[in-house]
């Protein structure tokens, strides 16, 4: 059941075994597992409930409709735009469907370094396979690579760089290219079309358009949540109260710590909102002699992992190179230059291709909380990550030229152009400055990280809070480090594991 908030005209009080805060990858996975195990579940989501007919393929309509703050939430110094979905189904709805398993080395690092037994690849594999089956994961076929992806494929193969056709969760994709605006054809295996309908069929109640303000605690135990409807029949803000025996917090690595802080929950180790990883992304844009039309087809259809060096002790370093493109408004917002120079570059839009750099960052940012608004995000690349990013810009430029590019435009604010292959000293000379380049983060992580030691972490290895009984976290907040790859599958796998722990220990949590 999905509550129609347009009918709400008074205070709403609900009662359930479990209240899940957030309906994205982690929240939806936990809700389905628990509901199908026979537990009564309420899912509270602060975004709207949209269906395929609402995805109208118009940027000016869909960005405010799908994304928190229209996709323009930024760090305090405007160095990184943090793009997060705010809709039933969370960021999976406007996501690109990349389904990459958590690397063995990263899991091994988490298990050993952070005292998290049972987190190794073999231990979580049953949960991983279950998730992949439920969302229809399959490998992209070579014929599904679009023209922009083919540039990365050809250029990297000519240079001998290792890459692969990734797995994804689309079924019968039509190649429209509108992934970031929601799929009007219902071809994505996102939470909106898979896990949440299954949870609803099992009896879960999904409450959209409601902002959770506080997790209620009594005698050191989570006992429910309190929130406010964003939408009602009267237009007034009506309160919601959910009494529950277990609370699962899955509102994302920015909003989950915010809710924790607003709830005045314990933070003796001063870890809430710390250890923020953003896996920042920038795009190196290239001009080709022929039309590329990079907005058509599957956006991210090939991945180069040649430069991702993983390690069981430190989790490793490096980056992925992935095709990236967007529709005109989003492209215009990230292309370099101003005024006439920027306008001229936009006239070349059909001939542009782009390679996205996804950095496996070691920089640890933090959140500074404000009771009256969203937290300030503080994040500045450290020296090691800066070196990795500069190397990535060189490699992306080299791949573009190897694929036939005439020019390469670097991701700085001003127009900085490479006119020939090998002229990369310009990248090193310019370096990285504050707000230049401007990064985008799609996958913030780590702000309520898990660990065996309560002095270094917020939750334990199954996501349960060290300091509050019956409170669990089931989103990317729990990652001890950057996971190095797109996070969707890892979040869902760990959330499934958390839900199964609750189910297995039902007597402990439900009496």
């Amino acid at each position: 059941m999905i509550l129609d908030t347009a009918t709400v005209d008074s205070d709403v009080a609900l009662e359930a075994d479990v209240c899940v805060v957030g309906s994205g990858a982690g929240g939806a996975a936990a809700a389905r597992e628990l509901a199908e195990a026979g537990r009564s579940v309420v899912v509270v989501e602060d975004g709207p409930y949209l269906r395929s007919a609402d995805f109208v393929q118009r940027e000016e309509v869909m960005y405010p409709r799908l994304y928190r703050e229209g996709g323009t939430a930024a760090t305090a110094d405007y160095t990184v735009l943090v793009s997060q979905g705010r809709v039933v189904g969370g960021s999976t709805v406007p996501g690109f469907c990349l389904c990459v398993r958590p690397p063995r080395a990263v899991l091994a690092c988490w298990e050993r370094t952070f005292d998290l037994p049972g987190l190794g690849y073999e231990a979580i594999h049953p949960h991983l396979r279950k998730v992949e089956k439920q969302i229809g994961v399959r490998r992209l076929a070579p014929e599904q690579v679009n023209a922009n992806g083919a540039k990365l494929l050809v250029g990297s193969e000519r240079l001998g760089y290792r890459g692969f056709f990734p797995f994804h969760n689309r079924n019968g994709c039509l190649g429209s290219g509108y992934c970031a605006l929601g799929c009007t054809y219902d071809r994505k295996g996102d939470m909106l079309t898979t896990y949440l309908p299954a949870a609803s069929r099992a009896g879960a109640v999904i409450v959209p358009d409601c902002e959770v303000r506080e997790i209620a605690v009594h005698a050191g135990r989570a006992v429910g949540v309190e929130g406010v409807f964003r939408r009602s029949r009267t237009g007034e803000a009506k309160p919601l109260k959910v009494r529950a025996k277990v609370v699962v917090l899955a509102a994302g690595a920015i909003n989950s710590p915010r809710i924790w802080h607003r709830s005045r929950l314990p933070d003796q180790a001063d870890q809430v909102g710390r250890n923020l990883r953003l896996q920042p992304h920038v795009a190196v844009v290239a001009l080709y002699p022929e039309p590329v039309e990079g907005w058509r087809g599957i956006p991210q259809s090939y991945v180069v992992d040649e430069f991702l060096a993983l390690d069981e002790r430190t989790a490793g370093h490096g980056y992925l190179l992935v095709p990236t493109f967007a529709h005109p408004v989003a492209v215009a917002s990230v292309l370099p230059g101003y005024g006439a120079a920027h306008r001229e570059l936009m006239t070349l839009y059909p001939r542009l291709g782009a390679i996205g750099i996804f950095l496996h960052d070691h920089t640890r940012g933090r959140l500074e909380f404000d009771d009256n608004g969203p937290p300030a995000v503080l994040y500045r690349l450290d020296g090691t990550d800066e070196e990795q990013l500069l190397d990535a810009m060189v490699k992306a430029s080299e791949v573009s030229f190897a694929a036939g590019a005439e020019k390469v435009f670097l991701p700085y604010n001003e127009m900085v152009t490479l006119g020939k292959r090998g002229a990369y000293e310009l990248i090193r000379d310019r370096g990285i400055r504050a707000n230049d380049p401007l990064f985008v983060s799609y996958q913030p992580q780590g702000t309520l990280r898990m660990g065996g030691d309560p002095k270094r972490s917020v939750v334990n290895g199954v996501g349960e809070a060290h300091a509050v009984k019956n409170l669990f976290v089931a989103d990317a907040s729990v990652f001890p480090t950057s996971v190095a790859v797109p996070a969707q599958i890892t979040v869902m796998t760990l959330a499934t594991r958390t839900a199964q722990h609750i189910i297995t220990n039902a007597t402990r949590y439900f009496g």
Side-chain angles (χ1 to χ4, degrees):
M1 171 187 172
I2 297 180
L3 179 68
D4 182 0
T5 54
T7 66
V8 172
D9 57 6
S10 62
D11 299 4
V12 176
L14 301 173
E15 190 167 336
D17 291 332
V18 184
C19 181
V20 179
V21 182
S23 65
R32 176 178 184 170
E33 292 292 321
L34 290 159
E36 290 184 340
R39 291 296 162 185
S40 57
V41 176
V42 172
V43 180
V44 185
E45 165 62 51
D46 72 345
Y49 171 50
L50 304 179
R51 283 136 289 186
S52 55
D54 298 309
F55 304 138
V56 297
Q57 300 183 342
R58 298 285 302 181
E59 289 182 275
E60 74 278 13
V61 174
M62 296 313 302
Y63 291 135
R65 188 175 286 181
L66 287 174
Y67 291 88
R68 191 172 299 278
E69 298 183 45
T72 62
T75 55
D77 61 358
Y78 215 77
T79 295
V80 187
L81 290 179
V82 182
S83 181
Q84 296 179 288
R86 189 180 69 83
V87 62
V88 170
S91 293
T92 71
V93 174
F96 288 123
C97 298
L98 277 179
C99 296
V100 184
R101 292 179 172 183
R104 289 175 180 267
V106 172
L107 291 174
C109 171
W110 292 357
E111 185 175 39
R112 296 174 184 178
T113 306
F114 295 91
D115 189 21
L116 294 167
L119 203 63
Y121 186 85
E122 285 72 21
I124 71 166
H125 187 262
H127 305 305
L128 176 63
R129 288 295 298 128
K130 184 176 187 178
V131 165
E132 291 177 333
K133 182 179 180 180
Q134 301 280 23
I135 62 174
V137 171
R138 66 204 72 203
R139 190 182 290 277
L140 271 156
E143 59 269 21
Q144 291 179 291
V145 177
N146 70 352
N148 187 47
K151 295 299 183 185
L152 176 61
L153 171 60
V154 169
S156 60
E157 285 190 340
R158 286 176 177 171
L159 296 169
Y161 296 155
R162 182 184 66 243
F164 62 92
F165 298 104
F167 287 86
H168 70 140
N169 58 320
R170 299 176 181 89
N171 181 24
C173 179
L174 301 177
S176 70
Y178 284 94
C179 296
L181 304 182
C183 184
T184 194
Y185 310 106
D186 279 338
R187 303 304 173 96
K188 285 184 178 181
D190 56 23
M191 299 303 96
L192 181 63
T193 59
T194 59
Y195 269 72
L196 291 172
S200 182
R201 288 192 297 270
V205 176
I206 300 165
V207 181
D209 298 307
C210 186
E211 179 188 4
V212 169
R213 297 284 180 86
E214 184 177 342
I215 296 169
V217 175
H218 177 71
R221 184 184 302 270
V223 295
V225 307
E226 298 181 6
V228 176
F229 284 99
R230 297 179 180 272
R231 179 172 177 253
S232 70
R233 187 179 66 80
T234 64
E236 300 173 341
K238 299 294 184 180
L240 168 74
K241 290 187 178 182
V242 182
R243 286 194 58 83
K245 296 175 182 177
V246 170
V247 175
V248 178
L249 182 56
I254 305 298
N255 211 35
S256 283
R258 179 192 183 193
I259 294 170
W260 187 294
H261 176 77
R262 290 181 65 168
S263 304
R264 302 293 189 264
L265 300 183
D267 182 22
Q268 294 98 328
D270 192 26
Q271 290 291 302
V272 173
R274 305 287 180 174
N275 308 299
L276 173 67
R277 312 298 175 95
L278 290 178
Q279 286 190 193
H281 163 245
V282 296
V284 171
V285 177
L287 177 66
Y288 291 93
E290 73 284 355
V292 176
E293 298 182 339
W295 64 88
R296 300 186 187 277
I298 294 176
Q300 296 178 338
S301 48
Y302 190 72
V303 177
V304 172
D305 62 347
E306 173 79 19
F307 310 106
L308 186 60
L310 301 175
D311 182 89
E312 294 187 2
R313 185 176 59 84
T314 66
H317 63 272
Y319 51 87
L320 297 173
L321 299 180
V322 181
T324 189
F325 213 80
H327 295 279
V329 172
V331 168
S333 70
V334 298
L335 282 181
Y338 303 96
H342 185 274
R343 183 169 61 250
E344 181 180 355
L345 187 53
M346 281 300 297
T347 66
L348 302 173
Y349 178 65
R351 291 168 54 198
L352 297 179
I355 296 174
I357 298 163
F358 287 87
L359 193 64
H360 176 28
D361 57 331
H362 285 256
T363 298
R364 292 193 290 180
R366 70 181 193 277
L367 305 177
E368 286 193 352
F369 298 103
D370 181 347
D371 289 340
N372 299 315
V377 181
L378 304 180
Y379 183 94
R380 180 71 62 85
L381 283 186
D382 68 17
T384 301
D385 284 341
E386 283 192 3
E387 285 300 314
Q388 291 294 321
L389 180 60
L390 293 172
D391 183 71
M393 290 165 64
V394 169
K395 295 300 192 304
S397 301
E398 182 77 356
V399 169
S400 300
F401 282 120
E406 295 178 345
K407 295 180 181 179
V408 167
F409 304 96
L410 299 175
Y412 294 111
N413 295 331
E414 297 176 353
M415 190 74 71
V416 181
T417 307
L418 302 178
K420 63 179 181 179
R421 188 173 180 176
Y424 305 132
E425 65 279 355
L426 181 61
I427 296 173
R428 296 288 180 187
D429 291 344
R430 188 173 182 89
I432 307 297
R433 306 172 185 176
N435 190 25
D436 193 23
L438 175 65
F439 305 108
V440 180
S441 172
Y442 301 104
Q443 298 161 346
Q445 305 163 22
T447 48
L448 295 170
R449 71 175 175 180
M450 58 183 170
D453 183 357
K455 296 179 180 178
R456 300 177 56 215
S457 58
V458 181
V459 301
N460 66 18
V462 292
E464 187 170 11
H466 290 304
V468 182
K469 295 178 180 179
N470 290 33
L471 173 61
F472 292 82
V473 180
D475 57 31
S477 302
V478 304
F479 294 3
T481 71
S482 159
V483 74
V485 297
Q488 173 184 234
I489 293 295
T490 307
V491 170
M492 294 185 70
T493 299
L494 295 184
T496 300
R497 180 172 177 264
T498 291
Q500 287 299 322
H501 168 82
I502 297 170
I503 293 164
T504 301
N505 295 275
T507 303
R508 172 181 167 188
Y509 296 113
F510 303 114

